[in-house]
Amino acid sequence: MAGNSFGTVFKITTFGESHGKAIGVIIDGCPPNIEIDEDFIQSELDKRRPGQSKITTQRKESDTAQILSGVFEGKSTGTPIAILIPNEDQRSKDYSHISDKFRPSHADYTYQQKYGIRDYRGGGRSSARETAARVAAGAVAKLFLKQHGIEIFAHVSAVGQIESPNLDTTDLNHLLEIRENNIARCADPATAQEMIELIDSVRKDGDTIGGQVATIVRNVPVGLGEPVFDKLHADLGKAMLSINAVHGFEYGSGFSGSQMRGSEHNDIFVKENDTVRTKTNFSGGIQGGISNGMDITFRTAFKPVATIMRDQDTLNEDGDAAVISGKGRHDPCVVTRAVIIVEAMTALTIADHFLRNKMYADGK
């Protein structure tokens, strides 16, 4: 199976399955002498772990990270960092009823057709359980970016038809505090309560619902990204679309920009205190595929979780009609736990481009 690695210089490779003994990640290319705060890495994993509230899956995993290599006396050594996360609460019997059936809108059919074999227990390698490894790696990337003053903040901006109003993003730490004080992980308290009530009602109805995550990256230097195939927004898009259940990505003005005129949409350059900025930020901090020093902004759309607690028509491996019943422990809405996954993939993308950009330093 190809496609288990992400990044060029700051590169990760994840391994493991949903119901295997463990999942994990190898981080290659992390510079030496980075302060590796294990408590911070664990706190990031705690934000993604299952069973944390009434509106998430009730699978109980501590997601305890074990650093096996690449760190000495609290600092990265420059060698590959290996992180292992044991699986503790597998209930494989919850999936025995689908061993020969294809779940609607899951990877079951395509996986079986491509590889001729599949681990039906929670989806195996295609399970969102794999994203815990990304969060651990993303935490290391965040620690690296922190040394360069780069901040990343994401929150749940929409669930179904409920949308958060535009936020004052002056103080990202304040928004983070608000986000972590509600289980919806929305940085607007009033909207968060509406979201919680909607998700809970959908859960009780045996159904699921989609949502959106909005992200802002601050203090990114000018020059990250390449102008052709490795545009910064293209790599951010790939990073987001690689997350389970993501069906859409837009940066800056996004699709709404297609309804504007150039005279409205153009970001006019100004100079403030010897710093070049733009009056508006419809470009989302990226122009020509390269960061321009403004805040990078984008939105990620998640579909409803495919497993619902209702009977659905399907086919089995022989092509015969069958009925499938939702069982097991699943999220009624994935975005509340996906926020930290979005931040992790953002950090990995920015860290990779930051290091790639260093190759131009001598030529400037």
Side-chain angles (χ1 to χ4, degrees):
M1 178 191 293
N4 295 296
S5 300
F6 180 84
T8 301
V9 178
F10 195 107
K11 185 175 183 177
I12 69 166
T13 300
T14 69
F15 61 88
E17 294 81 37
S18 177
H19 285 240
K21 291 184 178 180
I23 56 175
V25 62
I26 305 293
I27 307 168
D28 199 9
C30 179
N33 292 306
I34 304 300
E35 297 278 353
I36 302 298
D37 184 342
E38 294 191 38
D39 289 337
F40 174 73
I41 295 172
Q42 191 59 55
S43 71
E44 294 287 277
L45 283 166
D46 289 345
K47 294 170 186 173
R48 195 222 69 97
R49 68 176 174 80
Q52 58 185 275
S53 77
K54 67 178 181 179
I55 57 173
T56 66
T57 171
Q58 293 306 296
R59 178 171 174 169
K60 299 296 183 183
E61 296 283 357
S62 67
D63 280 354
T64 302
Q66 302 174 11
I67 298 179
L68 306 181
S69 66
V71 178
F72 178 66
E73 295 184 341
K75 292 186 177 182
S76 60
T77 62
T79 60
I81 298 174
I83 301 177
L84 190 73
I85 304 169
N87 289 327
E88 301 168 338
D89 189 26
Q90 312 97 309
R91 294 183 186 175
S92 299
K93 66 179 186 300
D94 286 348
Y95 297 91
S96 58
H97 68 294
I98 64 162
S99 61
D100 65 341
K101 298 176 184 176
F102 300 128
R103 294 171 295 174
S105 288
H106 281 78
D108 298 346
Y109 172 74
T110 51
Y111 205 111
Q112 181 72 37
Q113 293 300 108
K114 181 175 178 65
Y115 300 110
I117 186 173
R118 66 185 173 95
D119 184 346
Y120 60 83
R121 303 167 303 169
R125 183 70 180 145
S126 64
S127 169
R129 178 83 187 124
E130 178 269 344
T131 60
R134 305 188 194 195
V135 170
V140 175
K142 283 184 178 181
L143 291 170
F144 166 67
L145 294 175
K146 183 179 179 181
Q147 292 194 354
H148 298 278
I150 297 174
E151 300 177 86
I152 299 171
F153 170 78
H155 84 120
V156 175
S157 58
V159 171
Q161 299 296 316
I162 299 173
E163 296 186 12
S164 169
N166 291 330
L167 302 174
D168 178 357
T169 59
T170 304
D171 188 347
L172 295 184
N173 287 328
H174 178 60
L175 292 180
L176 177 62
E177 184 179 345
I178 296 173
R179 184 193 83 183
E180 289 305 306
N181 278 332
N182 67 79
I183 59 176
R185 290 218 163 85
C186 173
D188 181 72
T191 308
Q193 187 55 43
E194 291 183 59
M195 290 175 173
I196 293 168
E197 292 172 1
L198 175 59
I199 295 172
D200 200 33
S201 67
V202 167
R203 177 186 64 82
K204 291 176 180 177
D205 199 32
D207 215 336
T208 62
I209 195 164
Q212 297 179 35
V213 174
T215 306
I216 181 170
V217 191
R218 179 159 293 161
N219 301 325
V220 177
V222 179
L224 303 196
E226 305 295 338
V228 187
F229 296 114
D230 293 345
K231 292 178 171 68
L232 183 57
H233 61 272
D235 281 352
L236 283 168
K238 178 180 179 179
M240 297 308 118
L241 290 165
S242 74
I243 301 172
N244 305 61
V246 170
H247 267 216
F249 170 83
E250 61 177 9
Y251 75 102
S253 61
F255 286 98
S256 65
S258 66
Q259 302 170 348
M260 300 170 68
R261 297 189 178 193
S263 56
E264 300 173 281
H265 193 270
N266 286 346
D267 294 320
I268 305 302
F269 290 105
V270 295
K271 198 169 186 179
E272 297 178 357
N273 301 321
D274 294 327
T275 301
V276 175
R277 301 181 58 81
T278 57
K279 286 185 177 181
T280 53
N281 192 23
F282 293 119
S283 300
I286 303 169
Q287 294 172 324
I290 301 170
S291 62
N292 66 3
M294 297 291 288
D295 289 346
I296 293 174
T297 60
F298 59 87
R299 290 158 298 283
T300 309
F302 289 78
K303 68 169 185 172
V305 175
T307 298
I308 61 176
M309 298 299 119
R310 298 179 179 183
D311 288 349
Q312 297 180 87
D313 293 330
T314 190
L315 298 176
N316 61 24
E317 292 181 354
D318 294 325
D320 299 325
V323 175
I324 195 165
S325 302
K327 294 182 181 179
R329 300 156 294 174
H330 305 277
D331 291 276
C333 182
V334 74
V335 289
T336 61
R337 292 203 296 138
V339 163
I340 200 64
I341 306 169
V342 167
E343 287 191 352
M345 293 306 296
T346 303
L348 290 166
T349 305
I350 299 297
D352 187 44
H353 274 278
F354 188 96
L355 291 171
R356 289 170 66 177
N357 199 51
K358 283 186 171 293
M359 72 177 69
Y360 298 108
D362 293 339
K364 290 182 179 179

